[in-house]
Amino acid sequence: MVRIQRRRLLASCLCVTATVFLLGTLQVVVELGKFERKKFKNSNLRDGHAKMGEEPTHLYSFPKKEALTLTRKEKLETDSYPIMLWWSPLTGETGRLGQCGADACFFTINRTYLHHPMTRAFLFYGTDFNIDSLPLPRKAHHDWALFHEESPKNNYKLFHQPIITLFNYTATFSRHSHLPLTTQYLEGIEVLKSHRYLVPLQSKNNLRKRLAPLVYVQSDCDPPSDRDSYVRELMTYIEVDSYGECLHNKDLPQQLKNPASMEADGFYRIIAQYKFILAFENAVCDDYITEKLWRPLKLGVVPVYYGSPSITDWLPSNRSAILVSEFSHPRELAGYIRRLDRDDRLYEAYTEWKLKREISNQRLVTALRERKWGVQDITQDNFVDAFECMVCNKVWDNIRLQEKGLPPKRWTAEATHLSCPEPATFAFSPAAPRWSSLREMWISSFEQSKKEAQALRWLVDRNQNFSAQDFWGLVFKD
């Protein structure tokens, strides 16, 4: 009897252990962003449905490029136009004949056009690019185009050479993309020059009696950049007011606690009172620059920036932000900020460009002037329209070449169109937590994504439909 009870006890323990393990594994999978999400999300101009301080998701509900007005007869003749099939149903349009300069293409999310003879391009939204179904077999005249403006943590597979080079055309945050979206969070030069929210330095000095020199607003905690570890250590050397869920120590007024208030005038007014803001991206990639940088520059607050290693190519002047990468330890950064906080002359060296409304960075000026889309500007195409038309125009270029009996031009994405280094963690002191549900998991996630990229590329190159079992069998093959 005792032996039976022991066996029952052992079995119960094993069940509990297995349950805990499975729950932990489930949490990991969920927190990794659901690698193979079956839910297609519609996204937009960062409308505030994200957490406070988190890079919001796009909801592409802004006005679409005006479609051609078709007669009934013309509707029956749409077969004469190249079909651009959104394999990720980003736009939600079941069918639209769009004008792109002198060219017209039929844009749709209707997958029944998969085998249509006029289907020439498949458009993918990066976050929703998954293995559940791909338009295979891929025919010689089928172009694949990738639109991905978001963080690498949304879909790490894309950030490896085997996958990014599957695409013919790209629109990503990289300057090397066919349609660079590097300035996607910046409306234009004038908002940088604007003094609408600028608080005079003397007023900021007076406000320092009740405000910290630094402000931090994040609720997307423990992302791949490991920014919370750095800020946690920095807080041991200098005061930081943290309004978000991450390292929270200060509350916003009740009316501004809704995440949708991050673009509200009242929120801007609060942030504008500070001298410095910790502007840390959720991932470290060349040219991945979000509102974390542009918002404080618009408000007249000095950003203490951590993120894109190429950030100096995009700053409005060579002295407009403090770069974390230039300091060996948070202790040194804290000392430098305290020095600027005490010395008005040194501080104003970082705001002089704003006070004089002078943008000396010609790369930034040129990029904003020459981009083929606008941000929050109804007089311009949005970047989704620009992406669609880029693909439409290139497809038509090849059609015209073929009509002349010439071979089509083959466009191919390169590794530089979407590339990020392996995530890394900070470890500044024994007091820093060595583990959280996410903090160090991003490294293993990145490593596994390399295997996933190689497996997926092999299957796609085979040019046959495959199952999830085929895919995961290759990923975990010894």
Side-chain angles (χ1 to χ4, degrees):
M1 180 65 69
V2 173
R3 184 175 300 174
I4 292 174
Q5 290 177 340
R6 287 177 178 174
R7 287 179 178 176
R8 288 177 177 173
L9 179 60
L10 178 60
S12 299
C13 291
L14 288 173
C15 288
V16 171
T17 302
T19 301
V20 171
F21 175 78
L22 288 173
L23 288 174
T25 302
L26 178 61
Q27 180 190 12
V28 167
V29 172
V30 171
E31 293 292 352
L32 278 174
K34 300 177 183 177
F35 281 147
E36 307 305 331
R37 292 190 298 171
K38 295 183 180 179
K39 174 188 174 186
F40 289 109
K41 71 177 171 57
N42 290 329
S43 35
N44 156 355
L45 275 177
R46 313 296 176 182
D47 68 344
H49 291 295
K51 294 178 181 178
M52 184 70 68
E54 184 178 2
E55 286 74 16
T57 346
H58 284 313
L59 259 160
Y60 293 114
S61 56
F62 38 62
K64 288 294 296 175
K65 190 179 182 71
E66 185 177 355
L68 296 176
T69 302
L70 303 178
T71 65
R72 182 178 178 183
K73 179 181 178 182
E74 287 172 324
K75 287 179 182 178
L76 297 176
E77 296 175 350
T78 54
D79 286 357
S80 61
Y81 297 97
I83 296 171
M84 311 285 109
L85 175 53
W86 272 102
W87 201 249
S88 312
L90 181 68
T91 64
E93 294 177 327
T94 55
R96 173 178 62 89
L97 188 60
Q99 190 73 47
C100 297
D103 301 324
C105 291
F106 184 71
F107 298 94
T108 182
I109 64 169
N110 188 343
R111 291 191 177 187
T112 61
Y113 285 96
L114 171 60
H115 300 296
H116 194 286
M118 287 304 291
T119 297
R120 296 302 181 93
F122 293 87
L123 313 183
F124 298 88
Y125 182 52
T127 298
D128 293 328
F129 181 80
N130 58 64
I131 67 159
D132 288 345
S133 63
L134 290 174
L136 297 173
R138 183 177 180 178
K139 298 179 181 178
H141 62 277
H142 282 172
D143 288 337
W144 285 14
L146 175 69
F147 181 91
H148 190 53
E149 87 295 19
E150 294 193 334
S151 170
K153 73 173 188 171
N154 288 38
N155 199 338
Y156 264 134
K157 287 191 297 293
L158 295 169
F159 290 76
H160 300 297
Q161 189 268 349
I163 298 301
I164 188 61
T165 53
L166 282 173
F167 300 96
N168 301 97
Y169 317 115
T170 62
T172 74
F173 55 74
S174 170
R175 74 183 79 183
H176 304 293
S177 173
H178 293 121
L179 184 70
L181 305 176
T182 315
T183 57
Q184 61 179 304
Y185 292 94
L186 181 58
E187 298 93 322
I189 287 294
E190 293 309 311
V191 296
L192 291 176
K193 295 180 178 180
S194 173
H195 287 188
R196 178 181 177 184
Y197 293 100
L198 185 65
V199 175
L201 179 56
Q202 190 54 51
S203 298
K204 290 191 178 190
N205 285 335
N206 292 333
L207 287 164
R208 280 283 289 108
K209 297 173 183 176
R210 62 179 180 83
L211 299 178
L214 281 159
V215 62
Y216 186 54
V217 188
Q218 291 299 329
S219 291
D220 179 15
C221 305
D222 294 315
S225 66
D226 198 28
R227 59 190 173 200
D228 294 332
S229 293
Y230 191 99
V231 176
R232 183 184 294 107
E233 181 73 10
L234 182 67
M235 283 176 157
T236 64
Y237 303 102
I238 192 169
E239 187 181 1
V240 177
D241 286 345
S242 181
Y243 290 97
E245 292 179 17
C246 310
L247 308 176
H248 178 87
N249 62 17
K250 199 173 183 70
D251 292 328
L252 286 166
Q254 188 62 40
Q255 69 273 18
L256 295 177
K257 288 185 177 181
N258 188 318
S261 300
M262 286 210 68
E263 301 301 325
D265 182 84
F267 179 75
Y268 279 10
R269 298 288 178 188
I270 289 175
I271 300 303
Q273 297 177 105
Y274 286 86
K275 285 187 170 183
F276 307 92
I277 185 169
L278 292 168
F280 282 44
E281 306 288 8
N282 70 19
V284 177
C285 305
D286 276 340
D287 299 339
Y288 178 61
I289 304 164
T290 71
E291 80 286 349
K292 302 294 182 297
L293 174 74
W294 303 122
R295 182 185 291 141
L297 292 176
K298 291 189 289 186
L299 300 181
V301 180
V302 177
V304 179
Y305 184 81
Y306 179 71
S308 171
S310 57
I311 192 61
T312 54
D313 289 346
W314 301 102
L315 293 172
S317 79
N318 60 7
R319 205 167 183 79
S320 50
I322 297 170
L323 305 183
V324 171
S325 60
E326 295 181 352
F327 298 86
S328 62
H329 192 278
R331 185 191 309 107
E332 292 184 9
L333 174 61
Y336 186 70
I337 292 172
R338 281 197 300 270
R339 182 183 172 196
L340 267 58
D341 185 31
R342 292 191 300 263
D343 191 322
D344 288 353
R345 182 181 58 83
L346 292 177
Y347 178 83
E348 286 185 324
Y350 285 91
T351 60
E352 183 179 7
W353 70 273
K354 180 81 168 180
L355 297 171
K356 294 183 177 181
R357 295 185 168 92
E358 293 178 351
I359 309 295
S360 59
N361 186 345
Q362 288 308 304
R363 177 193 294 273
L364 177 61
V365 172
T366 301
L368 291 171
R369 182 179 65 245
E370 295 183 352
R371 68 186 183 185
K372 296 177 173 59
W373 43 273
V375 178
Q376 298 180 13
D377 184 349
I378 60 174
T379 67
Q380 293 182 284
D381 289 344
N382 58 65
F383 45 36
V384 176
D385 285 334
F387 169 69
E388 289 182 336
C389 279
M390 174 189 70
V391 180
C392 176
N393 293 148
K394 290 186 183 299
V395 165
W396 266 109
D397 287 345
N398 277 339
I399 290 174
R400 286 186 281 266
L401 285 174
Q402 290 177 304
E403 288 174 347
K404 296 176 182 178
L406 299 173
K409 179 176 175 58
R410 300 307 300 169
W411 293 76
T412 304
E414 299 178 3
T416 55
H417 289 205
L418 204 60
S419 177
C420 294
E422 178 179 320
T425 58
F426 295 107
F428 295 115
S429 70
R434 295 298 301 167
W435 173 259
S436 74
S437 60
L438 287 176
R439 180 177 177 247
E440 296 183 2
M441 188 175 60
W442 295 113
I443 298 174
S444 58
S445 168
F446 184 88
E447 287 301 318
Q448 178 170 314
S449 70
K450 292 180 182 178
K451 298 178 182 178
E452 293 180 17
Q454 291 169 351
L456 186 57
R457 181 57 187 253
W458 187 88
L459 289 167
V460 172
D461 284 346
R462 194 179 59 167
N463 210 23
Q464 299 174 14
N465 287 312
F466 59 89
S467 66
Q469 184 177 2
D470 295 331
F471 173 73
W472 290 112
L474 279 177
V475 171
F476 294 109
K477 184 178 179 180
D478 291 335

